[in-house]
Amino acid sequence: MASVETRHEWRVPRGILAAKAIAAAVCVVLALLGDVSQAFLASVAAAGFAALALRDLLAPVRLAVDEGGVTVPAGFARRERYSWNDVDRIRVDTRRRYGVTARLLEIDTGEQVHLFSRFDLGAPVVDVAEIVMRLRP
């Protein structure tokens, strides 16, 4: 009987992508309506939001795991695959500042530490970490 490989993927939520696209459009409008200095700043912000939205369109999957390892983003729209032997540590970093709790999933591959928030994964970080740790041999 063939074994069924378990694979999980987490993507940038569509709402986050839409918010970045809307922010880019608003900044374009502000650039058209503002004076020279405002137009410059709004144009830079529009380009930044547009680049982030484009990245989310080209590489929506931020984290994929299966029994063989993890796949994470590399650069703007590429992906890198790491076997479980290359993964040194998986943990959730929790920080509390100004009454706000921030959680990040850290995947340490020795040379790099890959960080993921709930805005990257579209799911609570602790839940994702549990699934990732369960798949790790």
Side-chain angles (χ1 to χ4, degrees), residues 51-122:
L52 291 172
L54 181 62
R55 179 193 64 180
D56 292 350
L57 279 173
L58 295 176
V61 176
R62 287 293 185 262
L63 176 64
V65 296
D66 57 34
E67 292 155 347
V70 300
T71 304
V72 296
F76 189 74
R78 294 180 307 117
R79 292 179 178 84
E80 286 185 354
R81 174 97 173 139
Y82 294 98
S83 73
W84 287 118
N85 292 333
D86 296 329
V87 177
D88 293 338
R89 182 176 57 171
I90 299 165
R91 76 181 192 110
V92 174
D93 180 40
T94 303
R95 307 223 177 201
R96 186 165 177 81
R97 287 196 177 140
Y98 306 113
V100 176
T101 301
R103 289 186 176 87
L104 293 174
L105 173 63
E106 292 183 6
I107 299 180
D108 186 349
T109 59
E111 294 180 16
Q112 291 185 340
V113 176
H114 302 274
L115 303 171
F116 304 95
S117 73
R118 67 183 174 100
F119 300 111
D120 293 315
L121 303 171

